[in-house]
Amino acid sequence: MAIELFSVGTELVLGQIQDTNAHWIAQQILQNGGELRRVTMLRDDFDEMTEAISSAIQRETALILTTGGLGPTPDDMTVAVIASLIGTKPIVSNETVAEYKKRREMPEDDILNEALTKMATIPETAQVYQNPAGWAPCISVEYKMSTIMMMPGPPREMKAIFDAYIQPLIIDRYRDEISTARVYVSMFEAEVSPLMQKVMERYPDVYLKAYVSLRNTEGNSMPIDFVSTSSESQETEEQLKSSIDFFRELVLEAGKSFSYDE
């Protein structure tokens, strides 16, 4: 039931714009019980996009999310890539056209301009979910074992679409409970890594991450996050507490200090 995220945009790969979308989406997936397996940035290149997303499908990724490439310019090609990949053709969504005309208070017989027409184009077999904060809609297709959901790139629009359509889907599919905690140890990364590995071997549903860059050199204190996942809230809390207790024992046995704000 893994999730993969593809951030589309040459400007992201070149470092001209920071990919804040991926950071925010990763946080939301974790908080809603999902499992994000991979995050990939892609240039606006038809072949490269096709190869990368095709690989995710071959990995039987349950949910494939994309951001970007749904705008009106020539380098916006996410719809064309997905349509080609799943063996269908791009068509203009009548539902989206009607929505555009309604929002612009246009007569029904008026013709949309080229830019809006492109943003209303979807793969023929897709479902479309209207954008509550902009123009390009959220587009969803089912292909083999994967659900592919395309979101626009502007952060405000992406967040509105994620909250409206992606978040409920993740909650419905995964339903995992997440509990997190942060502890502090007076150890270096090389010292603490074997202890972290022991904890994760005993508690495979608990993930530990040490933040070396946040280490307090004066107090020799390094933060370590615990992330516990389970289908039951009580079980999540119990394994979080048990894993922290076990880790505390290991740290104290090593003669180091341990602190935790319970």
Side-chain angles (χ1 to χ4, degrees):
M1 293 295 292
I3 302 171
E4 295 192 24
L5 170 63
F6 293 90
S7 301
V8 178
T10 301
E11 70 278 9
L12 300 175
V13 178
L14 296 179
Q16 293 177 305
I17 296 178
Q18 187 175 10
D19 186 9
T20 58
N21 283 349
H23 180 255
W24 186 86
I25 291 171
Q27 290 178 320
Q28 304 308 305
I29 291 174
L30 175 64
Q31 292 172 10
N32 288 285
E35 178 192 350
L36 183 60
R37 175 166 62 189
R38 185 174 303 197
V39 179
T40 306
M41 284 195 298
L42 296 171
R43 297 189 304 166
D44 297 300
D45 182 280
F46 193 97
D47 292 337
E48 291 178 11
M49 293 171 63
T50 300
E51 179 184 6
I53 298 173
S54 176
S55 295
I57 293 170
Q58 292 172 14
R59 288 189 289 272
E60 297 185 349
T61 306
L63 180 59
I64 299 171
L65 303 176
T66 71
T67 62
L70 300 182
T73 59
D75 60 344
D76 291 313
M77 58 185 73
T78 300
V79 168
V81 167
I82 299 300
S84 172
L85 187 58
I86 67 176
T88 189
K89 62 182 180 181
I91 64 169
V92 176
S93 164
N94 292 330
E95 176 187 342
T96 305
V97 169
E99 175 69 14
Y100 287 173
K101 289 183 177 181
K102 176 182 175 182
R103 288 165 60 182
R104 289 200 164 200
E105 299 181 347
M106 296 171 57
E108 290 187 10
D109 57 352
D110 271 14
I111 298 176
L112 290 181
N113 61 39
E114 184 177 346
L116 285 177
T117 299
K118 182 175 182 182
M119 287 192 287
T121 300
I122 64 173
E124 188 174 23
T125 58
Q127 287 185 292
V128 62
Y129 303 95
Q130 299 306 322
N131 187 337
W135 294 105
C138 174
I139 305 168
S140 176
V141 297
E142 303 286 336
Y143 185 65
K144 295 185 177 180
M145 302 293 290
S146 302
T147 300
I148 306 171
M149 298 195 75
M150 297 159 260
M151 296 178 283
R156 185 175 68 91
E157 297 183 33
M158 178 279 298
K159 289 179 180 180
I161 282 177
F162 188 96
D163 289 343
Y165 310 118
I166 312 294
Q167 182 182 37
L169 177 64
I170 292 173
I171 293 173
D172 181 63
R173 285 193 176 186
Y174 292 86
R175 299 184 185 279
D176 275 353
E177 299 289 338
I178 302 291
S179 294
T180 63
R182 175 167 290 187
V183 305
Y184 297 85
V185 296
S186 60
M187 304 178 75
F188 293 99
E189 183 180 22
E191 297 175 302
V192 77
S193 291
L195 308 188
M196 295 167 58
Q197 187 62 37
K198 287 183 179 180
V199 174
M200 289 188 284
E201 288 174 356
R202 177 175 289 192
Y203 301 96
D205 292 326
V206 178
Y207 171 72
L208 276 67
K209 173 62 180 178
Y211 294 98
V212 180
S213 62
L214 300 180
R215 185 169 172 268
N216 184 332
T217 54
E218 293 182 4
N220 194 28
S221 179
M222 181 166 62
I224 299 175
D225 277 356
F226 283 63
V227 181
S228 173
T229 307
S230 176
S231 59
E232 299 292 337
S233 178
Q234 183 176 350
E235 183 179 349
T236 304
E237 292 289 344
E238 289 175 353
Q239 70 182 9
L240 178 69
K241 183 179 183 304
S242 297
S243 63
I244 291 174
D245 289 343
F246 178 52
F247 183 65
R248 180 191 287 112
E249 292 176 8
L250 296 176
V251 172
L252 295 180
E253 286 176 4
K256 304 296 182 178
S257 66
F258 174 98
S259 62
Y260 168 44
D261 296 329
E262 299 190 44

